[in-house]
Amino acid sequence: MQKILQICERHSLAKPIFSENSLYCMKFGPVGELLKKFLCHEWLHANVISSEIGVFPHYVSRSDAGHTIHDLKEAYEYVRNLNSGQLPFGVVVETPNLCADKYFEKQQHILDESEKYFYPKKCTFLKTFMFVAPSKATHFYYQWQRHRKMWWRKFSACPSRFVLSDVQNNEKNQSVHIQANFPWGSQNVETLSYWTTADQDLAIRTVFEAKDGRKKVTPHIVESTLSVERAVFTFLCDAYDETAFAGLPREVMRFHRKLAPFKLSFSASASSSSAGEELNQLAVYLTKQTRDSGISTLLLPDLVKKSLESQFVRNDELGIPYTAVLNDTSLKNGIITLRNRDTTLKEQVHISKLREYMEKILKNY
């Protein structure tokens, strides 16, 4: 865990902020903010943009709103009307700066030193409420469990790490956790619940009535909740790896290319200062091209001042999936070498095809 925290602080990914011997919040640096933004984007894409049913976002600015069924009445009525009153449909809610004590019941009872970094007091929660006809709700709940588990696995460097817990039943709902298994133990990273509005008062039940075909029914609700801070730190721990290189261990952050703060970086080696200046100008031109295509690209001023190996080490620690390597030959024939972080294999690409090639790579999951 200390190695993970050190690499996070060294490269401005994340830093835990403590208050009175407990974790108050997880502070993200410039690189960590990019990781967080990409993670939230992929969550929104999976739950809203690519959803098979109509799901709509509902954002709240107050930290004490948006996390109970009572707070959803206005959003629910709008989405229901937009959907002609027909089930199923859903609402996703982002609740920033929420005090997480009541959600993270382990906060005051953590024994393992490594666990505390998953339980900050201040969190941003991402919640999904799916409103489903009673006759189809159980089947939908099991499908939703699989959907959410596969989402975590899709972005993991070790997909088998993410599993479903045993189902927990009580009088009001049924719940299951998605867990991440680490060497120090298992962490609950998302909670999925299944419940109804039947136990609410008549006024609430009337508000939430909808149609299942021609029948009026009170929908059953499939809810999922995750903390952005916990999700980001989970993927930081998941991505960390040590690999042997030339007989020595090398730290690598194996971020999925969709989550990686930077998708591409440039490295160069030049035989002279004049060639170095030309390579730097070429890198600036190519960086503008890739950024114009929406590809997060890192270009640093020490492009030709550091050895290629030291640049590879830094890029691997930053979790950058691809490094474009420029040299004197690139100025003559336009051929650059694209290095893959995970395999360290290199392939040749013409500079005129780099943007198109990167777009194809990043388009696929």
Side-chain angles (χ1 to χ4, degrees):
M1 179 59 73
Q2 288 304 312
K3 290 183 178 180
I4 295 172
L5 293 171
Q6 287 169 6
I7 200 170
C8 284
E9 187 166 358
R10 183 160 68 244
H11 292 293
S12 197
L13 283 159
K15 182 179 181 181
I17 304 298
F18 288 90
S19 175
E20 298 179 354
N21 297 321
S22 63
L23 181 61
Y24 178 73
C25 68
M26 188 63 70
K27 181 180 180 182
F28 297 108
V31 180
E33 283 292 337
L34 280 175
L35 174 62
K36 183 176 75 170
K37 295 295 185 186
F38 287 132
L39 185 145
C40 290
H41 171 79
E42 292 302 326
W43 176 86
L44 188 70
H45 185 275
N47 289 3
V48 177
I49 307 302
S50 64
S51 174
E52 294 181 0
I53 66 175
V55 182
F56 302 87
H58 175 59
Y59 295 98
V60 295
S61 57
R62 288 169 38 229
S63 62
D64 60 343
H67 56 275
T68 70
I69 194 68
H70 297 78
D71 301 316
L72 289 178
K73 287 190 291 184
E74 183 179 351
Y76 177 89
E77 289 175 357
Y78 176 79
V79 173
R80 179 181 59 187
N81 294 337
L82 193 62
N83 213 50
S84 301
Q86 290 290 336
L87 298 168
F89 50 80
V91 176
V92 298
V93 182
E94 178 180 343
T95 308
N97 299 317
L98 189 68
C99 183
D101 284 352
K102 63 181 179 180
Y103 290 94
F104 294 165
E105 64 278 0
K106 292 179 65 176
Q107 174 71 35
Q108 305 302 325
H109 308 285
I110 294 173
L111 300 177
D112 193 295
E113 179 70 15
S114 300
E115 282 191 306
K116 64 185 179 183
Y117 300 104
F118 292 86
Y119 296 90
K121 285 188 174 182
K122 290 291 184 179
C123 289
T124 294
F125 281 93
L126 302 178
K127 299 175 73 71
T128 304
F129 296 89
M130 294 294 196
F131 300 91
V132 189
S135 60
K136 302 171 184 175
T138 301
H139 178 66
F140 184 92
Y141 182 47
Y142 291 129
Q143 283 187 319
W144 189 250
Q145 291 177 30
R146 181 179 182 277
H147 168 72
R148 293 306 305 152
K149 182 183 72 173
M150 294 308 297
W151 183 85
W152 287 92
R153 287 187 168 189
K154 179 166 61 177
F155 299 110
S156 173
C158 179
S160 61
R161 182 190 311 281
F162 293 93
V163 298
L164 290 171
S165 70
D166 294 333
V167 175
Q168 301 174 4
N169 291 290
N170 59 43
E171 294 179 358
K172 294 185 177 181
N173 63 41
Q174 182 182 106
S175 64
V176 65
H177 300 290
I178 298 175
Q179 297 179 326
N181 294 322
F182 292 106
W184 55 82
S186 296
Q187 304 295 331
N188 295 336
V189 294
E190 184 169 355
T191 300
L192 299 92
S193 302
Y194 168 46
W195 51 286
T196 76
T197 54
D199 60 334
Q200 304 290 329
D201 59 52
L202 180 60
I204 292 294
R205 293 202 305 272
T206 303
V207 167
F208 283 89
E209 275 188 345
K211 294 178 183 177
D212 178 16
R214 295 184 178 181
K215 295 190 303 180
K216 281 190 174 182
V217 297
T218 301
H220 288 200
I221 300 168
V222 175
E223 176 188 348
S224 60
T225 303
L226 65 87
S227 154
V228 173
E229 288 75 8
R230 181 184 285 199
V232 171
F233 195 70
T234 296
F235 280 118
L236 285 169
C237 294
D238 172 79
Y240 181 83
D241 189 22
E242 288 188 10
T243 184
F245 183 82
L248 297 173
R250 173 182 289 183
E251 293 181 309
V252 181
M253 298 298 281
R254 300 192 186 280
F255 295 124
H256 188 281
R257 56 184 174 272
K258 290 286 187 177
L259 299 185
F262 301 105
K263 322 299 184 187
L264 176 69
S265 184
F266 287 92
S267 297
S269 62
S271 59
S272 65
S273 58
S274 59
E277 181 59 32
E278 288 186 67
L279 289 174
N280 192 65
Q281 292 176 2
L282 176 60
V284 170
Y285 169 75
L286 293 173
T287 298
K288 185 179 186 307
Q289 278 197 328
T290 53
R291 286 177 178 172
D292 285 346
S293 292
I295 299 170
S296 179
T297 305
L298 180 67
L299 178 62
L300 297 173
D302 60 1
L303 184 69
V304 294
K305 297 178 182 178
K306 285 191 172 184
S307 68
L308 283 178
E309 189 56 36
S310 64
Q311 293 180 66
F312 291 158
V313 169
R314 179 176 60 197
N315 291 351
D316 287 348
E317 289 185 359
L318 281 166
I320 303 173
Y322 299 96
T323 299
V325 183
L326 313 178
N327 54 34
D328 291 1
T329 306
S330 304
L331 300 173
K332 298 176 182 178
N333 60 14
I335 300 296
I336 62 177
T337 302
L338 196 62
R339 175 186 180 267
N340 184 299
R341 174 202 64 206
D342 294 328
T343 65
T344 69
L345 296 178
K346 301 172 184 176
E347 55 183 317
Q348 292 186 331
V349 181
H350 195 272
I351 57 174
S352 63
K353 300 292 184 181
L354 177 63
R355 175 167 61 178
E356 179 184 354
Y357 188 65
M358 288 300 302
E359 287 174 348
K360 288 181 179 178
I361 290 176
L362 297 174
K363 182 178 180 180
N364 300 316
Y365 282 87

